[in-house]
Amino acid sequence: MRGAIEFKDVSKAYDGTLALSHFSHAFAPARVHALMGRNGSGKSTAIKILAGAVQPSSGTMSVNGREVSFATPSEAFAAGIVTVHQELSLVPSLSVGENIFLGRLPRRGRFVDWAELHKRAAALLTEMELEIEPRRLVETLSLGQQQMVEIVKAMSFAPSVLILDEPTSALAAREVGHLFELVRRLKARGVTVIYITHRMNELFELADTCTVVRDGHYVGTIEISDASPAKIVEMMFGDVAKASRPARRAVNRAAPVLSVRHLSRAPAFTDISFELYPGEVLGMAGLLGAGRTEVLRAIFGADPLDSGEISFAGQRVDKPTPKRMKALGLGYTPENRKEVGLVQMAAIHDNLILASLDRVARAGFTNRARETPSVTRQIRELGIKVADPLLPVSTLSGGNQQKVVIGNWLNTAPKVMFFDEPSRGVDLQAKQQIFEIMWAEAAAGLSSIFVSSELEELLDVADRILVLHHGRLVAEVTPQTTNLTELYQLCMEGHP
């Protein structure tokens, strides 16, 4: 059976701890199987075993009716199994075409056949309905465009089994639609798709089945036609309830802590003006490419402004720089935590203290003993699950890595925090924990701007929501007077 996958009593132990325990399940061929579970549930371990990245401690696995044991990812590739990981594996300094066929460049004699390379890449991009030039450098693409190139690269292997790990986390609505159409075409050709996502709405639009893993154990599989969001959440978390927003005092709007006037930076955004008040959670909505991240980066000083004024705590800031804005009391948790927010090879301890070293150091010198109180406080107060703070931060789940990013900046005692997609790629439980952190900090007086592509989150979390469309501020709404449909319409069309 082409594309059939079967796990039989598969377990994986790390230092005596079972990450996956006696997992048995068959994924039927030519169907889209959602694989769900909170971070640390074991789903990633199962996928790594299938992809040849790790080997099981016990049990067997079959693909296409044949028992297999992959020692390396290349062996899984040879068996027709291709994985698109959430964290991109592209080489930024190479072109789109070179990345798609990396390691497999077509040749004419001893030389690369560039014409053939660009022709093949263009054909794949056209099939995806993507208007991306094959000769364009990947580093010039948006994060969403890079994700699509990663998927096109997977397509070039003509897989019989395609594993998609959070493939839509950085995609705009139009790009998500293209991806879903592609997945449906692959399914029609007999490809078996295993689809990992934390976005519940995607299951009911794309998947045929939903398989849930919890605490390393197989919980069950349900046909999507028989499923409901409540049922799947119950399978994933048991009796874990959704966090409810605590009662809040009215935001004091006497004087803003941050004021921006007529900010412009072509072509990303034009004439942006707003205020942020003490203890307020200000949401920022918009589709990918609307200019949300670019506005935050410009205020933080990471990108230059063409024009406009910024005032922070009543002080005008000309030509902001990250160093100056941090000194004034601005913290920024970026959307791409892997490459921008964290040093993956460094210890959890080090990542929690990076932004506040100047506060901790004495005469330019520091040591772990001096740093430890700040590190320990954030681990405790943010509920970061850490076996040993000196382990690399890369050993943590996505949700715990995100908490480390937040804790790093909270250690600077900020007056204002920018949260750019803080729930991207984390499970439902971790999302709620992050929201609780934001509410608690707001109650303590911290002002924040919260960017999210999940509009439901903005309605749940924010006090007020700004809507950006094609780089312009088109609306300001409140969750009490706006529903999800209206907010989506504003983001998509720029008007009610």
Side-chain angles (χ1 to χ4, degrees), residues 233 239-245 432 435-436 439 456 460:
V233 169
D239 58 359
V240 174
K242 178 181 178 181
S244 59
R245 180 171 176 158
Q432 298 305 318
F435 298 156
E436 288 171 346
W439 292 328
E456 299 93 330
D460 286 342

Side-chain angles (χ1 to χ4, degrees), residues 383-454:
I384 305 172
K385 293 184 178 180
V386 176
D388 182 350
L390 298 184
L391 288 172
V393 74
S394 59
T395 62
L396 297 181
S397 67
N400 282 301
Q401 287 192 28
Q402 187 65 64
K403 291 180 188 178
V404 170
V405 176
I406 295 171
N408 177 41
W409 283 101
L410 289 180
N411 270 330
T412 68
K415 298 182 180 72
V416 173
M417 278 279 282
F418 290 170
F419 293 97
D420 195 352
E421 301 282 6
S423 64
R424 178 182 173 224
V426 306
D427 64 38
L428 296 176
Q429 187 178 47
K431 283 184 183 183
Q432 298 305 318
Q433 291 170 341
I434 290 168
F435 298 156
E436 288 171 346
I437 291 166
M438 294 171 65
W439 292 328
E441 294 296 330
L446 179 68
S447 307
S448 60
I449 297 180
F450 171 37
V451 169
S452 177
S453 298
E454 301 288 331

Side-chain angles (χ1 to χ4, degrees), residues 33 35 69 139 145 154 202 237 262 336-337 447 456 460 466:
H33 303 277
L35 184 59
S69 177
E139 63 189 2
Q145 289 173 317
E202 294 181 357
F237 297 100
H262 309 296
N336 189 346
R337 63 175 174 264
S447 307
E456 299 93 330
D460 286 342
L466 305 177

Side-chain angles (χ1 to χ4, degrees), residues 89-265:
S89 63
L90 304 177
V91 181
S93 59
L94 296 183
S95 71
V96 170
E98 288 173 292
N99 270 280
I100 291 173
F101 292 101
L102 193 63
R104 306 170 291 141
L105 301 179
R107 293 185 174 274
R108 179 179 296 173
R110 293 183 300 167
F111 301 99
V112 174
D113 188 341
W114 294 107
E116 180 65 18
L117 170 67
H118 296 141
K119 177 182 175 182
R120 292 184 190 178
L124 286 166
L125 291 163
T126 299
E127 183 180 359
M128 278 289 289
E129 300 179 20
L130 292 175
E131 297 178 358
I132 300 176
E133 166 58 46
R135 295 172 177 81
R136 187 171 172 183
L137 294 181
V138 162
E139 63 189 2
T140 68
L141 303 179
S142 69
L143 190 60
Q145 289 173 317
Q146 290 182 32
Q147 179 71 76
M148 296 303 283
V149 171
E150 189 84 65
I151 293 165
V152 172
K153 179 180 177 180
M155 282 180 56
S156 70
F157 289 94
S160 63
V161 175
L162 179 64
I163 303 169
L164 298 175
D165 186 1
E166 296 281 355
T168 64
S169 58
L171 301 188
R174 181 174 64 88
E175 293 170 321
V176 171
H178 290 163
L179 171 64
F180 285 3
E181 290 171 7
L182 170 66
V183 172
R184 294 185 187 106
R185 289 200 299 271
L186 292 174
K187 170 186 165 183
R189 298 175 191 172
V191 175
T192 303
V193 180
I194 297 181
Y195 192 89
I196 300 173
T197 184
H198 291 303
R199 295 181 174 182
M200 190 70 69
N201 62 302
E202 294 181 357
L203 303 187
F204 298 91
E205 185 171 351
L206 184 65
D208 297 304
T209 73
C210 179
T211 296
V212 175
V213 183
R214 185 171 72 215
D215 298 330
H217 294 82
Y218 172 76
V219 174
T221 297
I222 187 171
E223 292 284 327
I224 291 298
S225 57
D226 299 327
S228 67
K231 176 62 177 176
I232 293 173
V233 169
E234 179 185 355
M235 292 171 69
M236 290 174 61
F237 297 100
D239 58 359
V240 174
K242 178 181 178 181
S244 59
R245 180 171 176 158
R248 294 273 311 277
R249 290 180 296 178
V251 174
N252 184 348
R253 302 189 185 279
V257 67
L258 174 67
S259 176
V260 301
R261 283 282 170 267
H262 309 296
L263 294 190
S264 295
R265 181 175 182 269

Side-chain angles (χ1 to χ4, degrees), residues 322-339:
K323 182 178 180 179
R324 185 178 181 195
M325 298 309 289
K326 188 184 81 165
L328 288 172
L330 178 58
Y332 185 8
T333 68
E335 65 171 332
N336 189 346
R337 63 175 174 264
K338 179 184 177 183
E339 295 183 9

